[in-house]
Amino acid sequence: LPQFVSRDPAKNPALAGWNHVFVMYCTGDLHLGQMLPSDAPHWGWARFSGHLVVERVLDDLVKRRRLGEARELVWTGASAGGIGSFAHLDHVARRFPGARVVGAPIAGYLWDNAKQYAGPGRRSAVIPFGADDFKAYGMLWNAFLPASCAEGPHKTDPWVCALAHFSFPTVTTPAFFMAAQIDKVELELHNRAHCDPRRAGWASEAEYCLQWGRNNTANLQQVVELARADPKQTGLFSPACLMHTEFDQHAPRVDGMSSVEAFAAWMALREGKTTGAPVVKEDDCCSGEGIAWNPTCHGAEDTLYM
């Protein structure tokens, strides 16, 4: 998370002078597992306890570093951490009622991404990540889920609340999202697709990748709509790039602004330092007949976006 933990104001204009804590990911459960030491391990050796690790880290920070006295807290994560951080966002806000808590998930906005690429050149290995797949994951991990979602509109299918698209309408803590419109890791790990125009098999994948981008951007529109209605509640940076978490102060840029600058602008808007339009920096990758790549993405120099 260099964009949020750097001490260089040029790289991290909103948070360079803040205290930073990095929680390692080593539990394989999107930070959601609640298995106890007394629980029988899966396969004779595995207990998924990511949520419990997060809780104990927070307990330790309260005890040793006076986290309970914090006045502002940015709760973020990337990839698996992006998914887990948003799932925990309201929970963390409740734990620290004296702080203004905001979320900043990176590559953590997932939806019902169930349709896999089945054409030539597809990847052999896959980790299914559709909404229905999370029923099994939730049982395997004894997963922590956002209560407002799992005990509210999705009481009959609570496992979908691990995915931000389903929990977002119920989460009350403000959040700013960074999400690539053509997510490289999601496509490779969960959909068997590469979606890389430099590869020999691009012609076979092109239509699938275009439709995937349309689905992704359509699912993100609820974030856009809320940002326009309540700019202090949420914001979005979403470039038409083949990438996952590689957002930094230089690139990619949307409307001339980087993700780091966009987040800083949203924080300033929330704090009343600026007024104006909602912070929604969103490309249009996929409304045409082919993907309209953003030329400022990392890798543009090697003709990916020609």
Side-chain angles (χ1 to χ4, degrees), residues 119-140:
R122 63 187 179 275
R123 289 170 55 89
S124 58
V126 66
I127 302 172
F129 247 45
D132 289 344
D133 300 306
F134 272 81
K135 182 176 184 178
Y137 299 147
M139 294 175 62
L140 182 71

Side-chain angles (χ1 to χ4, degrees), residues 110-122:
L110 272 70
W111 37 280
D112 186 10
N113 182 17
K115 185 177 180 180
Q116 297 175 12
Y117 173 64
R122 63 187 179 275

Side-chain angles (χ1 to χ4, degrees), residues 177-306:
F177 293 87
M178 300 180 193
Q181 294 185 350
I182 309 294
D183 191 292
K184 177 179 174 63
V185 171
E186 288 185 44
L187 283 156
E188 290 183 348
L189 283 185
H190 309 312
N191 298 104
R192 301 182 186 271
H194 298 280
C195 293
D196 187 338
R198 296 166 295 190
R199 292 179 58 87
W202 166 246
S204 300
E205 290 187 343
E207 182 60 32
Y208 173 88
C209 300
L210 176 65
Q211 189 57 54
W212 194 96
R214 288 173 178 167
N215 292 339
N216 190 27
T217 53
N219 281 291
L220 282 165
Q221 288 313 294
Q222 66 175 344
V223 178
V224 175
E225 291 168 6
L226 181 57
R228 289 172 177 162
D230 187 355
K232 293 184 178 182
Q233 183 64 23
T234 194
L236 175 68
F237 185 88
S238 186
C241 297
L242 180 65
M243 60 178 289
H244 187 49
T245 63
E246 301 83 10
F247 298 91
D248 62 35
Q249 77 275 20
H250 300 299
R253 307 184 79 83
V254 180
D255 297 334
M257 186 176 285
S258 72
S259 59
V260 174
E261 294 164 340
F263 176 74
W266 182 70
M267 289 288 285
L269 180 67
R270 281 192 43 75
E271 294 165 3
K273 296 177 181 178
T274 62
T275 59
V279 183
V280 174
K281 301 299 177 182
E282 178 190 32
D283 281 331
D284 176 9
C285 69
C286 302
S287 64
E289 296 182 0
I291 296 174
W293 301 103
N294 181 322
T296 70
C297 300
H298 294 292
E301 67 278 2
D302 62 12
T303 71
L304 171 58
Y305 307 104
M306 300 298 287

